[in-house]
Amino acid sequence: MKDQKWKMLFFLLLSMIVIFILVIFILLKTPATEEKYIAENLNTDDYVPFKIQTDKQDLNKVINHYLQKEGLTGAIDYKVILNDEVELYGLIPVFSQDIQLKLTFEPQVLDNGDIVLQQKSISVGKLQLPVSYVLKFIGDKYKLPKGVTIHPNEEKIYVSLQKMKLKSDLKVKVDEFNLKNDNIRFTLLVPVKE
C-alpha cells in the first residue's frame, strides 16, 4: 500500500514538473502582440521653434529625472544611460530573485523627429533568453512614458516625442542624435495658439 502511494505521488510530481516546463516553453514561443507605430507629423504652424544643443551627460540627467519624477521607474526599477549606444539597465524578478538586465540600442532619428531604438545586444544575468521575450516582458511589466511603444518581434522601441506629455504643451523634435560624437540637437516647439 505504501509502495503504491509513493509511486502515485512520484508520478504526480513528475507530471507537475513537465506541465510547468511546457507552460514556460509555450510562453517563450508565443509571439508578442504589439500596437502599431504610426509616425505623425506635427503641424508646426502653431509653435515657435527653439534650437537646443546638449551632450550625453546632461541628457542622461534629464532622462532619469523625468523617469523618477513621473513615477515611471515604479515597482520595477530601471534607468537609461546614454553612452555610445542607448543602454537600459533594470531588474527582472525571477522566482523571488532579481536578475540584472542590460539592453543596448542603436538610435535612429526619423524624419518627423521621433527616435527608433534598434536592439543591439542583451544580457539577462547568465540566461540566454529570446530578445522578443525580454522586450515583451519590459513592455508588460515596466511603466513606460506615453509615446514609447515596444515592438518585440521587430526588436525595436519607438519613441514618439510628439506624443509625450510635457508641461505647457511643449513638443520636442530630434534633429541629430549622434552619441558617438556627442552631438545631440533638438528643436523645442513652444505653442503660440491664439
Side-chain angles (χ1 to χ4, degrees), residues 47-109:
Y47 293 89
V48 174
F50 289 93
K51 300 292 184 183
I52 298 173
Q53 184 165 356
T54 188
D55 59 21
K56 291 184 280 195
Q57 182 179 1
D58 290 338
L59 192 54
N60 275 328
K61 290 177 188 174
V62 170
I63 290 170
N64 288 298
H65 175 76
Y66 176 78
L67 292 175
Q68 286 182 337
K69 184 162 176 104
E70 295 297 317
L72 298 172
T73 55
I76 300 177
D77 192 29
Y78 70 95
K79 63 182 174 179
V80 175
I81 296 178
L82 304 177
N83 284 318
D84 284 348
E85 294 105 13
V86 177
E87 299 173 357
L88 181 132
Y89 293 90
L91 300 171
I92 294 180
V94 177
F95 301 121
S96 75
Q97 280 194 319
D98 289 334
I99 295 178
Q100 292 285 335
L101 163 75
K102 178 186 175 190
L103 296 164
T104 59
F105 299 92
E106 189 70 37
Q108 300 165 344
V109 178

